[in-house]
Amino acid sequence: MSSDQPSAAGLIMSDPETHDPGRRTVLGVLMRIELLLGRAESLVASTALGVAVLAIGTSVVVRAFALPLPDTGEWAIVAMSPLTFVGAALCSHLHRHLTADIVEALPPGRLLRFLEGIAAALFVVFGLYFVALAADLFSYAVNSGERLIDLGTPIAIPVGFMLAGAVLMTIHAVLDVIRACTGHAPGGIDPWH
């Protein structure tokens, strides 16, 4: 294990820039939980991509050979929800989303951390609003029992992934606010390093 990797327990954080091992902190515990969420997000997004590719491939074969099977393209459409929303949460965890060029050009220091904190706080506001909207839509999807046409996939499945992504993005934003306030670098620990 290199010095820039978290400890086996993943519960220790001290160096604000590299997340090098140090003393045990509450932030370290929260980042360990976030690391596990990041791994789950990565697996969900990867699985969704695999489902979409298989569903489209199957759909092409069914159409090309006029097989008497239902069109599986619906599953590809449904798989876009976890790929989009849980994938967006993973991007926010890794801090690989859009940023203003001026912020990227600033040297490390208090001004940069202040701007990162403001951006994270605004992302929390967005996340909470998105959670409220997605929760309302999810409630409707569950109560209405609506289904897609070809295979009868419940609408609640893709909307549920939308809600999950909104919640996860908000969690990552809250942790980014905490990191900014405690002088740590933005973004969580890479789930696969």
Side-chain angles (χ1 to χ4, degrees):
M1 179 169 69
S2 65
S3 64
D4 63 341
Q5 299 298 318
S7 70
L11 300 177
I12 46 183
M13 297 294 306
S14 66
D15 186 332
E17 295 300 323
T18 63
H19 309 299
D20 276 346
R23 58 185 168 76
R24 293 178 189 272
T25 65
V26 173
L27 179 59
V29 172
L30 292 174
M31 286 187 63
R32 173 65 178 159
I33 293 167
E34 185 184 35
L35 173 65
L36 296 174
L37 288 175
R39 286 184 179 160
E41 291 162 0
S42 179
L43 290 173
V44 167
S46 298
T47 302
L49 179 61
V51 168
V53 168
L54 287 173
I56 290 169
T58 302
S59 180
V60 168
V61 170
V62 166
R63 289 180 185 186
F65 296 105
L67 299 175
L69 299 170
D71 184 10
T72 57
E74 178 177 293
W75 289 343
I77 293 168
V78 170
M80 289 306 293
S81 183
L83 190 56
T84 300
F85 297 108
V86 177
L90 179 60
C91 287
S92 65
H93 165 70
L94 296 175
H95 220 257
R96 301 236 171 95
H97 46 68
L98 293 175
T99 58
D101 288 340
I102 187 70
V103 174
E104 295 295 320
L106 289 173
R110 290 184 184 189
L111 177 60
L112 179 60
R113 290 236 169 77
F114 174 74
L115 293 175
E116 288 169 345
I118 294 294
L122 291 172
F123 197 39
V124 170
V125 172
F126 164 78
L128 291 172
Y129 183 68
F130 188 30
V131 167
L133 291 175
D136 188 45
L137 184 58
F138 183 70
S139 175
Y140 168 77
V142 168
N143 292 330
S144 71
E146 286 189 43
R147 296 177 172 274
L148 296 173
I149 295 172
D150 291 333
L151 299 172
T153 306
I155 296 290
I157 293 174
V159 175
F161 281 110
M162 175 190 263
L163 177 59
V167 168
L168 291 166
M169 282 187 267
T170 305
I171 290 169
H172 296 310
V174 166
L175 285 169
D176 266 344
V177 169
I178 295 170
R179 281 188 282 265
C181 290
T182 58
H184 287 79
I189 302 167
D190 190 332
W192 301 111
H193 285 111

